[in-house]
Amino acid sequence: MKTNPGRFFEDYRLGELIRHAVPRTVSGGERALYHALYPARGALYSSDEFARACGLAAAPIDDLAAFHLVFGKTVPDISLNAVANLGYAEGRWLMPVWPGDTLAAESTVIGLRENSNGTSGVVWVRTRGLNQRGEAVLEYVRWVMVRKRHADAPAPVSVVPDLASAVAAADLVLPERLDFSRYDFALAGEPHRWGDYAPGERIDHVDGVTIEEAEHMIATRLWQNTAKVHFDATQRPDGRRLIYGGHVISLARALSFNGLANAQMIVALNAGVHANPCFAGDTVRAWSEVLDRAETAAPGVGAIRLRLVAVKDGAAPFAFRGENGKYAPEVLLDLDYWALMPT
């Protein structure tokens, strides 16, 4: 048999290192299409001149575009037969990705647990994105619910990894020579500095985007994400193609520009949950909560920890959890991350 049906839960082994195909050389085309799809408007990623004024050689590829590229490499080996992508933790961006870089990915299986129904299980992996020099550009943990090939296959010993609730501010990695001391707020689009935000503050990003089937499919193909539930409508009982969770992340991040235009660089992913499924025709809106702030050693640069929540159609302002403690059905995404902002 020469075709690959993808891995099922019983195919994973604790400690296994999986090297993913296929390396991808990044071009400026990724940036242009990323900005067209969402649309991303961060000045640092839109303008070489703005980036140079901030100490960088040029505008790097958007952080989430780099994330999607690496994530897409892992799908054929990790989540091709996934029921759901359950969460993220311990994510860090370790260096910028530039046009011309070639990205590859590898994952280590760090946890396995069969579900009580005996037909699926949860797989935890730690993934690293590597450039052409073998340098890690980002790393993260994610866990996925994966179908079993055979319900009677023996269950592995249950191992659930102990993951940090957040990346410590001291462990954030800032790009070399990053300097916001000459930051141009007018060109960036908003006057708000790091010191203008206080923990507990909530920001309604006001705008909304209705998801189109065509745009979702372009995005999913762009990142070479081959998960069956995103392409094949027969994979779900309702006959609908599930919107790739990363597409929702990038839409929400783009919407957050209105109120957080100066949160320029994502440097850590503390936690993330795709709370409810998203489908074409849903209108996505977003709000953010300031969770923490931290100083950094880089000139004029502060770190801000944010919760980004994406909701859909008719959600109440700042919809989050119901009285039962579970996510409200209108909540699509709960993302906790660190970003860099001028002080």
mmCIF file of all heavy atoms in Angstrom, residues 14 32 37 64 93-94 109 119 129 146 177 180 198 224 227 230 263-264 266 269 271 282 326 334 338:
data_model
loop_
_atom_site.group_PDB
_atom_site.id
_atom_site.type_symbol
_atom_site.label_atom_id
_atom_site.label_comp_id
_atom_site.label_asym_id
_atom_site.label_seq_id
_atom_site.Cartn_x
_atom_site.Cartn_y
_atom_site.Cartn_z
ATOM 1 N N LEU A 14 5.042 7.084 23.179
ATOM 2 C CA LEU A 14 5.582 8.118 24.055
ATOM 3 C C LEU A 14 7.078 8.284 23.811
ATOM 4 O O LEU A 14 7.824 7.300 23.748
ATOM 5 C CB LEU A 14 5.325 7.739 25.514
ATOM 6 C CG LEU A 14 5.513 8.850 26.544
ATOM 7 C CD1 LEU A 14 4.442 9.919 26.360
ATOM 8 C CD2 LEU A 14 5.447 8.281 27.956
ATOM 9 N N ALA A 32 1.943 38.745 1.562
ATOM 10 C CA ALA A 32 0.893 39.424 0.801
ATOM 11 C C ALA A 32 -0.436 38.684 0.912
ATOM 12 O O ALA A 32 -1.487 39.300 1.118
ATOM 13 C CB ALA A 32 1.325 39.550 -0.665
ATOM 14 N N LEU A 37 -5.910 37.912 3.345
ATOM 15 C CA LEU A 37 -6.915 37.015 3.901
ATOM 16 C C LEU A 37 -7.560 37.562 5.162
ATOM 17 O O LEU A 37 -8.733 37.310 5.421
ATOM 18 C CB LEU A 37 -6.291 35.641 4.195
ATOM 19 C CG LEU A 37 -6.016 34.762 2.979
ATOM 20 C CD1 LEU A 37 -5.112 33.596 3.382
ATOM 21 C CD2 LEU A 37 -7.328 34.239 2.409
ATOM 22 N N LEU A 64 2.087 34.880 13.251
ATOM 23 C CA LEU A 64 1.089 33.833 13.069
ATOM 24 C C LEU A 64 1.226 33.154 11.713
ATOM 25 O O LEU A 64 0.898 31.963 11.577
ATOM 26 C CB LEU A 64 -0.318 34.391 13.252
ATOM 27 C CG LEU A 64 -0.687 34.728 14.698
ATOM 28 C CD1 LEU A 64 -2.073 35.349 14.772
ATOM 29 C CD2 LEU A 64 -0.618 33.483 15.591
ATOM 30 N N TRP A 93 7.972 32.188 20.377
ATOM 31 C CA TRP A 93 8.636 32.565 19.138
ATOM 32 C C TRP A 93 10.073 32.911 19.511
ATOM 33 O O TRP A 93 10.325 33.776 20.365
ATOM 34 C CB TRP A 93 7.938 33.765 18.507
ATOM 35 C CG TRP A 93 6.702 33.395 17.744
ATOM 36 C CD1 TRP A 93 6.572 33.329 16.387
ATOM 37 C CD2 TRP A 93 5.408 33.044 18.269
ATOM 38 N NE1 TRP A 93 5.288 32.949 16.040
ATOM 39 C CE2 TRP A 93 4.553 32.769 17.176
ATOM 40 C CE3 TRP A 93 4.891 32.921 19.563
ATOM 41 C CZ2 TRP A 93 3.221 32.401 17.324
ATOM 42 C CZ3 TRP A 93 3.569 32.537 19.721
ATOM 43 C CH2 TRP A 93 2.746 32.282 18.621
ATOM 44 N N LEU A 94 11.029 32.240 18.889
ATOM 45 C CA LEU A 94 12.424 32.312 19.320
ATOM 46 C C LEU A 94 13.286 33.201 18.439
ATOM 47 O O LEU A 94 14.333 33.671 18.884
ATOM 48 C CB LEU A 94 13.011 30.895 19.371
ATOM 49 C CG LEU A 94 12.231 29.934 20.288
ATOM 50 C CD1 LEU A 94 12.747 28.511 20.130
ATOM 51 C CD2 LEU A 94 12.326 30.391 21.744
ATOM 52 N N VAL A 109 6.326 13.214 20.856
ATOM 53 C CA VAL A 109 5.127 12.799 21.579
ATOM 54 C C VAL A 109 5.440 12.830 23.073
ATOM 55 O O VAL A 109 6.329 12.120 23.547
ATOM 56 C CB VAL A 109 4.680 11.386 21.158
ATOM 57 C CG1 VAL A 109 3.421 10.976 21.934
ATOM 58 C CG2 VAL A 109 4.416 11.336 19.652
ATOM 59 N N THR A 119 -12.895 4.744 21.626
ATOM 60 C CA THR A 119 -12.820 4.919 20.173
ATOM 61 C C THR A 119 -11.851 6.020 19.757
ATOM 62 O O THR A 119 -11.641 6.234 18.569
ATOM 63 C CB THR A 119 -14.200 5.235 19.594
ATOM 64 O OG1 THR A 119 -14.667 6.492 20.135
ATOM 65 C CG2 THR A 119 -15.202 4.141 19.930
ATOM 66 N N GLY A 129 9.638 24.493 15.113
ATOM 67 C CA GLY A 129 9.871 24.932 13.752
ATOM 68 C C GLY A 129 11.331 25.303 13.601
ATOM 69 O O GLY A 129 11.874 26.044 14.425
ATOM 70 N N VAL A 146 -7.624 12.160 18.702
ATOM 71 C CA VAL A 146 -7.412 11.401 17.474
ATOM 72 C C VAL A 146 -8.222 10.110 17.515
ATOM 73 O O VAL A 146 -8.277 9.419 18.547
ATOM 74 C CB VAL A 146 -5.907 11.083 17.296
ATOM 75 C CG1 VAL A 146 -5.673 10.318 15.986
ATOM 76 C CG2 VAL A 146 -5.073 12.365 17.300
ATOM 77 N N ARG A 177 18.357 43.268 18.717
ATOM 78 C CA ARG A 177 18.412 44.690 18.324
ATOM 79 C C ARG A 177 17.041 45.352 18.235
ATOM 80 O O ARG A 177 16.914 46.463 17.714
ATOM 81 C CB ARG A 177 19.177 44.868 17.004
ATOM 82 C CG ARG A 177 20.640 44.477 17.081
ATOM 83 C CD ARG A 177 21.357 44.740 15.777
ATOM 84 N NE ARG A 177 20.892 43.843 14.726
ATOM 85 C CZ ARG A 177 21.309 42.582 14.569
ATOM 86 N NH1 ARG A 177 22.198 42.076 15.404
ATOM 87 N NH2 ARG A 177 20.842 41.832 13.603
ATOM 88 N N PHE A 180 12.262 50.098 20.408
ATOM 89 C CA PHE A 180 11.072 50.912 20.160
ATOM 90 C C PHE A 180 11.247 52.358 20.642
ATOM 91 O O PHE A 180 10.257 53.079 20.769
ATOM 92 C CB PHE A 180 9.854 50.287 20.848
ATOM 93 C CG PHE A 180 9.276 49.082 20.155
ATOM 94 C CD1 PHE A 180 8.372 48.252 20.816
ATOM 95 C CD2 PHE A 180 9.605 48.781 18.844
ATOM 96 C CE1 PHE A 180 7.818 47.147 20.189
ATOM 97 C CE2 PHE A 180 9.062 47.666 18.194
ATOM 98 C CZ PHE A 180 8.167 46.849 18.882
ATOM 99 N N ALA A 198 -4.004 48.519 31.571
ATOM 100 C CA ALA A 198 -3.945 48.042 32.956
ATOM 101 C C ALA A 198 -4.539 46.647 33.045
ATOM 102 O O ALA A 198 -5.555 46.345 32.386
ATOM 103 C CB ALA A 198 -4.707 48.986 33.879
ATOM 104 N N GLN A 224 -0.808 24.406 3.784
ATOM 105 C CA GLN A 224 -0.656 22.971 3.487
ATOM 106 C C GLN A 224 -1.207 22.117 4.631
ATOM 107 O O GLN A 224 -0.644 21.086 4.993
ATOM 108 C CB GLN A 224 0.809 22.635 3.184
ATOM 109 C CG GLN A 224 1.327 23.365 1.956
ATOM 110 C CD GLN A 224 2.799 23.141 1.683
ATOM 111 O OE1 GLN A 224 3.592 22.946 2.612
ATOM 112 N NE2 GLN A 224 3.181 23.174 0.425
ATOM 113 N N ALA A 227 -5.795 18.383 7.079
ATOM 114 C CA ALA A 227 -6.771 17.727 7.956
ATOM 115 C C ALA A 227 -8.082 17.500 7.201
ATOM 116 O O ALA A 227 -8.639 18.416 6.585
ATOM 117 C CB ALA A 227 -7.006 18.566 9.198
ATOM 118 N N HIS A 230 -11.363 19.700 7.306
ATOM 119 C CA HIS A 230 -11.386 21.028 6.685
ATOM 120 C C HIS A 230 -11.693 20.963 5.187
ATOM 121 O O HIS A 230 -12.053 21.977 4.588
ATOM 122 C CB HIS A 230 -10.046 21.737 6.888
ATOM 123 C CG HIS A 230 -9.660 21.889 8.319
ATOM 124 N ND1 HIS A 230 -10.564 22.191 9.296
ATOM 125 C CD2 HIS A 230 -8.454 21.780 8.942
ATOM 126 C CE1 HIS A 230 -9.947 22.259 10.466
ATOM 127 N NE2 HIS A 230 -8.681 22.005 10.279
ATOM 128 N N ALA A 263 0.389 46.445 19.796
ATOM 129 C CA ALA A 263 0.845 45.132 20.284
ATOM 130 C C ALA A 263 1.465 44.414 19.085
ATOM 131 O O ALA A 263 0.850 43.572 18.441
ATOM 132 C CB ALA A 263 -0.322 44.341 20.861
ATOM 133 N N GLN A 264 2.694 44.774 18.776
ATOM 134 C CA GLN A 264 3.257 44.477 17.468
ATOM 135 C C GLN A 264 3.685 43.036 17.261
ATOM 136 O O GLN A 264 3.460 42.465 16.205
ATOM 137 C CB GLN A 264 4.472 45.389 17.213
ATOM 138 C CG GLN A 264 4.115 46.821 16.913
ATOM 139 C CD GLN A 264 3.489 46.995 15.528
ATOM 140 O OE1 GLN A 264 3.458 46.088 14.711
ATOM 141 N NE2 GLN A 264 2.962 48.172 15.269
ATOM 142 N N ILE A 266 3.937 38.981 18.596
ATOM 143 C CA ILE A 266 3.607 37.897 19.518
ATOM 144 C C ILE A 266 4.893 37.144 19.838
ATOM 145 O O ILE A 266 5.613 36.717 18.923
ATOM 146 C CB ILE A 266 2.566 36.946 18.907
ATOM 147 C CG1 ILE A 266 1.255 37.679 18.630
ATOM 148 C CG2 ILE A 266 2.316 35.758 19.823
ATOM 149 C CD1 ILE A 266 0.201 36.822 17.973
ATOM 150 N N LEU A 269 2.808 31.992 23.400
ATOM 151 C CA LEU A 269 1.440 31.482 23.425
ATOM 152 C C LEU A 269 1.291 30.699 24.727
ATOM 153 O O LEU A 269 1.820 29.597 24.866
ATOM 154 C CB LEU A 269 1.197 30.581 22.211
ATOM 155 C CG LEU A 269 -0.143 29.867 22.083
ATOM 156 C CD1 LEU A 269 -1.290 30.867 22.106
ATOM 157 C CD2 LEU A 269 -0.190 29.031 20.805
ATOM 158 N N ALA A 271 -1.643 29.778 26.389
ATOM 159 C CA ALA A 271 -2.710 28.790 26.379
ATOM 160 C C ALA A 271 -3.668 29.129 25.247
ATOM 161 O O ALA A 271 -3.754 30.284 24.816
ATOM 162 C CB ALA A 271 -3.461 28.779 27.711
ATOM 163 N N ASP A 282 -20.420 32.101 9.513
ATOM 164 C CA ASP A 282 -20.343 32.710 10.843
ATOM 165 C C ASP A 282 -19.641 34.060 10.752
ATOM 166 O O ASP A 282 -18.669 34.225 10.011
ATOM 167 C CB ASP A 282 -19.549 31.813 11.809
ATOM 168 C CG ASP A 282 -20.316 30.564 12.221
ATOM 169 O OD1 ASP A 282 -21.543 30.533 12.028
ATOM 170 O OD2 ASP A 282 -19.676 29.624 12.735
ATOM 171 N N LYS A 326 -18.810 26.592 31.794
ATOM 172 C CA LYS A 326 -18.367 26.196 30.462
ATOM 173 C C LYS A 326 -18.423 27.393 29.510
ATOM 174 O O LYS A 326 -19.126 28.360 29.751
ATOM 175 C CB LYS A 326 -19.238 25.057 29.932
ATOM 176 C CG LYS A 326 -19.143 23.776 30.752
ATOM 177 C CD LYS A 326 -20.009 22.676 30.146
ATOM 178 C CE LYS A 326 -19.891 21.389 30.948
ATOM 179 N NZ LYS A 326 -20.722 20.301 30.373
ATOM 180 N N ASP A 334 -10.384 31.044 22.805
ATOM 181 C CA ASP A 334 -9.853 31.680 24.011
ATOM 182 C C ASP A 334 -8.338 31.535 23.934
ATOM 183 O O ASP A 334 -7.802 30.438 24.112
ATOM 184 C CB ASP A 334 -10.419 30.999 25.255
ATOM 185 C CG ASP A 334 -9.862 31.568 26.554
ATOM 186 O OD1 ASP A 334 -9.223 32.634 26.523
ATOM 187 O OD2 ASP A 334 -10.071 30.925 27.613
ATOM 188 N N TRP A 338 1.530 36.559 25.002
ATOM 189 C CA TRP A 338 2.369 37.725 25.282
ATOM 190 C C TRP A 338 2.708 38.426 23.970
ATOM 191 O O TRP A 338 3.035 37.766 22.968
ATOM 192 C CB TRP A 338 3.673 37.319 25.935
ATOM 193 C CG TRP A 338 3.654 36.949 27.378
ATOM 194 C CD1 TRP A 338 3.654 35.691 27.902
ATOM 195 C CD2 TRP A 338 3.673 37.849 28.506
ATOM 196 N NE1 TRP A 338 3.669 35.739 29.288
ATOM 197 C CE2 TRP A 338 3.691 37.054 29.685
ATOM 198 C CE3 TRP A 338 3.680 39.241 28.634
ATOM 199 C CZ2 TRP A 338 3.706 37.608 30.955
ATOM 200 C CZ3 TRP A 338 3.704 39.793 29.909
ATOM 201 C CH2 TRP A 338 3.708 38.987 31.049
#
